[in-house]
Amino acid sequence: MLKSVAILLFLLAAGSAQAQTKAVINRKTKSFTLVANIREDHQIFGYAAPDVHAKKLILFSVFTNDVKDNPYHCPLGAYYQTSDLPAGDDIRFVAASGGFVKLSYAAPSQHATPFYIKQAFVSFE
């Protein structure tokens, strides 16, 4: 009986878990794309180093309170998805680095800025 209750509780918890949107890195082009889905949460910070305690440089989030007016003061901005980046700006995959992926943010007439996000937030296609 106790085993049945435990299994039922596990199934209820698994069924109510929120899905997490993942960014996609194209293996051929190295492009980084994230498409927001209001039914799936995401809050993905890009850091100056492969460490969650490093300076936050960019944020992708489904939450308006995270994006509107850039409350985290991320120098590269706060966006819902990559299509919201300023025209001409681009993000490319550089390398994998100990649980993080290194990306490069390039804007016209500026040097590219490297940043890192947790590898758990991306999938490679």
Side-chain angles (χ1 to χ4, degrees), residues 18-111:
Q18 283 279 334
Q20 167 76 37
T21 299
K22 287 189 173 192
V24 175
I25 295 174
N26 182 299
R27 291 182 192 275
K28 291 181 183 178
T29 65
K30 308 290 187 206
S31 65
F32 172 86
T33 307
L34 185 133
V35 177
N37 180 345
I38 196 67
R39 290 180 178 82
E40 295 180 356
D41 291 348
H42 69 273
Q43 184 187 49
I44 303 170
F45 282 100
Y47 301 96
D51 178 356
V52 296
H53 301 292
K55 181 179 179 179
K56 295 172 181 165
L57 297 180
I58 192 168
L59 171 64
F60 293 98
S61 177
V62 74
F63 304 108
T64 299
N65 290 340
D66 287 348
V67 175
K68 186 179 178 185
D69 300 324
N70 192 6
Y72 292 98
H73 308 287
C74 297
L76 298 177
Y79 310 96
Y80 294 108
Q81 56 192 1
T82 52
S83 65
D84 297 333
L85 294 171
D89 289 11
D90 189 38
I91 298 175
R92 298 282 172 186
F93 171 76
V94 177
S97 176
F100 286 81
V101 291
K102 182 177 182 180
L103 301 164
S104 178
Y105 186 106
S109 72
Q110 292 183 352
H111 288 78

